[in-house]
Amino acid sequence: QEDSATAIPWLEDSLDIRKNRLGEEHLETAKAYLHLGEANLNMNSPPIAIDLLKRCVVIRTRHLGDNTADTAEAQRLLAKAYAAQGIYLESAMLYKKAVDYARQNFGADSAIVREWELELEQILAREGTTAARNDSDNGKPNESSNSLVIVRPLEVQLLKSQAKHGINSLGAAQYCHELGQAYLDIQNIHGAVKVLESASSVRSGALGDMHEDTLASMLALGIAYRASGRVEEALNLHEKVYDVRFSSYGESSETACAAHQVGLDHAALGQLSEGLHWYRRSASIEQSICGEKSLVLADLYEDVSKALKQLGDVNGSLTWMERSTRVHELNTSHPPTPSHVVP
């Protein structure tokens, strides 16, 4: 720390000189950011280190790309700074990038890969421990409990899968899909969009757009898009899923689910008559397959009721709400099924 304390003023002068003479975006300026950031990290000043090292990562990535030793070096130092600040998930994601580079260039069994993977495992372990402590200290039994029990293990497994098999592996895509649905459950819409876009892209490239795994991720992504206000994009995805499922399976539960989502998209766009058409289409399919006790059917009846009420048909709305209530009465031991669950 004494060496770093002595070095920091000199490193600050070096950074200023390089910025003035070479410009902010020069690779030598990036090196100065790196050295100053590392010195601040050694002085237990992670917030300052993070700002400096982020600049280095941005400049090196722009000039050199992700797959270089210099960029990996900066990513690893920034990951350490994030960890020192207690931002473990961001730290783990950067460590994963560095591990990917080391694996590709030094081999999976090399000493540097083993060292960096061990550091990644330690970060993931800290992230889980801190999450448990924070949830307990905050006294949040519901959403925090869901986050801890479902979301955080999926986040950890996703990072491990990406580090071991690569970002574009089908195993990672499966975790992205599951994590996306978990994020929807706790209303982390931004996170859901991010991981479901990844799942859809990877599955589409590896399996094709006709595969059911791809369709499931596309359907879930559409739900996330609608929740984030990107309703037109949601409608396009859900219509595509419906068309493929109907042509492949005919009138199935999967097809009914897609039809329901198309109806919800139309309703979100203010196209209530179109939404009503798709709700009834979905309900007809679901009833023919599962009978009147299906809890999914109860949700559909309720959506029909809401649409009719908005269209001014109060009597029709009451009739469909009564039908929804009857279905729930037939399933009194079961709670209603969330409408975003994707089969």
Side-chain angles (χ1 to χ4, degrees), residues 266-324:
H266 279 295
L269 290 168
Q271 301 163 357
L272 297 178
S273 296
E274 282 294 316
L276 186 59
H277 163 77
W278 284 99
Y279 295 153
R280 285 173 166 161
R281 171 69 176 143
S282 180
S284 174
I285 297 171
E286 185 70 23
Q287 185 181 39
S288 67
I289 295 169
C290 301
E292 194 68 21
K293 290 185 66 174
S294 168
L295 285 168
V296 174
L297 198 59
D299 290 334
L300 287 163
Y301 288 165
E302 187 173 339
D303 286 334
V304 171
S305 173
K306 290 177 181 177
L308 288 170
K309 183 178 180 180
Q310 289 178 283
L311 288 169
D313 185 353
V314 178
N315 290 332
S317 174
L318 289 173
T319 299
W320 284 89
M321 185 57 72
E322 288 171 358
R323 294 182 68 177
S324 175

Side-chain angles (χ1 to χ4, degrees), residues 158-212:
L158 171 59
L159 289 166
K160 286 182 177 179
S161 180
Q162 289 177 331
K164 185 174 183 180
H165 303 294
I167 295 174
N168 295 322
S169 66
L170 284 172
Q174 176 64 28
Y175 284 120
C176 280
H177 178 81
E178 294 176 11
L179 182 58
Q181 295 205 79
Y183 279 153
L184 286 173
D185 280 335
I186 63 171
Q187 298 299 305
N188 179 0
I189 306 305
H190 176 76
V193 168
K194 184 175 180 180
V195 294
L196 288 169
E197 283 181 336
S198 177
S200 298
S201 175
V202 171
R203 285 178 162 179
S204 176
L207 304 172
D209 286 347
M210 302 287 286
H211 195 280
E212 180 52 35

